[in-house]
Amino acid sequence: DNAYRFAGTFDGLGFTISNLYINRPSQDSIGLFGYTNNATIKNIGLKDVNITGSIYVGGLVGVNENGKISNSYASGTVSGNIHIGSLVGVNDNGKISNSYVSGTVSGIRDVGGLVGRSENGTISNSYASGTVSGSIGSFYVGGLVGFNQNGKISNSYASGNVDGYSYVGGLVGSNDFGTISNSFYDKETNTASMD
């Protein structure tokens, strides 16, 4: 809903929010910020989140539209159906930098450690560790990004366990006209697998 899109600046000043709990399995645009538009979010940590939604679910932001997220992190559990990420569900023409996540993220489609779906978005100097889990019949499951469409990923990596059924990747589940540079999946410690 346009009336509820955060469009300001949020500076966490390096503080941490602990034990954020949201249980809305039938609702969309779920996160500390459900939907942002041209917003700036920086310097905030989310520790031990427990977040459940349906579509567009992220620990920090459900949908990051044209916004900037930097120097932020999230840990804990994020789950839903489509467009699910530990930090951001959908990064739509947004910029994410110097951010990281750890913990567990699960869903059916567009499931990523950091971002579920990045569309025309930019991700740099960021990483994801932990577990990315696609349920039965899942697709577009990636350690960093589930689906990267026309997006740019640079200087980033993923190191967690990744499980899914089709279009599964240690770094990115599917890269559709996107650009990936100086980025990798740390296969020395974990391996991506397809069930």
Side-chain angles (χ1 to χ4, degrees), residues 41-108:
I41 298 172
K42 56 187 177 181
N43 308 320
I44 185 66
L46 300 179
K47 186 178 179 184
D48 298 327
V49 302
N50 185 349
I51 297 175
T52 302
S54 180
I55 303 173
Y56 313 124
V57 184
L60 185 62
V61 179
V63 178
N64 176 41
E65 187 175 29
N66 303 309
K68 294 179 182 177
I69 296 172
S70 62
N71 303 319
S72 298
Y73 72 88
S75 69
T77 302
V78 178
S79 61
N81 297 314
I82 303 171
H83 312 315
I84 315 297
S86 286
L87 193 73
V88 175
V90 170
N91 184 40
D92 182 6
N93 203 39
K95 294 181 179 178
I96 298 172
S97 63
N98 304 310
S99 297
Y100 69 92
V101 293
S102 62
T104 302
V105 58
S106 59
I108 299 169

Side-chain angles (χ1 to χ4, degrees), residues 55-177:
I55 303 173
Y56 313 124
V57 184
L60 185 62
V61 179
V63 178
N64 176 41
E65 187 175 29
N66 303 309
K68 294 179 182 177
I69 296 172
S70 62
N71 303 319
S72 298
Y73 72 88
S75 69
T77 302
V78 178
S79 61
N81 297 314
I82 303 171
H83 312 315
I84 315 297
S86 286
L87 193 73
V88 175
V90 170
N91 184 40
D92 182 6
N93 203 39
K95 294 181 179 178
I96 298 172
S97 63
N98 304 310
S99 297
Y100 69 92
V101 293
S102 62
T104 302
V105 58
S106 59
I108 299 169
R109 190 181 97 197
D110 296 355
V111 185
L114 189 77
V115 176
R117 182 185 185 99
S118 187
E119 194 165 335
N120 302 304
T122 301
I123 297 169
S124 61
N125 305 317
S126 298
Y127 71 88
S129 63
T131 300
V132 182
S133 180
S135 59
I136 292 174
S138 63
F139 55 103
Y140 304 140
V141 181
L144 189 75
V145 178
F147 194 101
N148 183 43
Q149 184 174 35
N150 298 311
K152 294 181 181 178
I153 298 171
S154 64
N155 305 319
S156 298
Y157 72 91
S159 64
N161 289 315
V162 183
D163 289 292
Y165 282 78
S166 61
Y167 299 98
V168 180
L171 188 70
V172 174
S174 179
N175 185 46
D176 188 11
F177 298 103

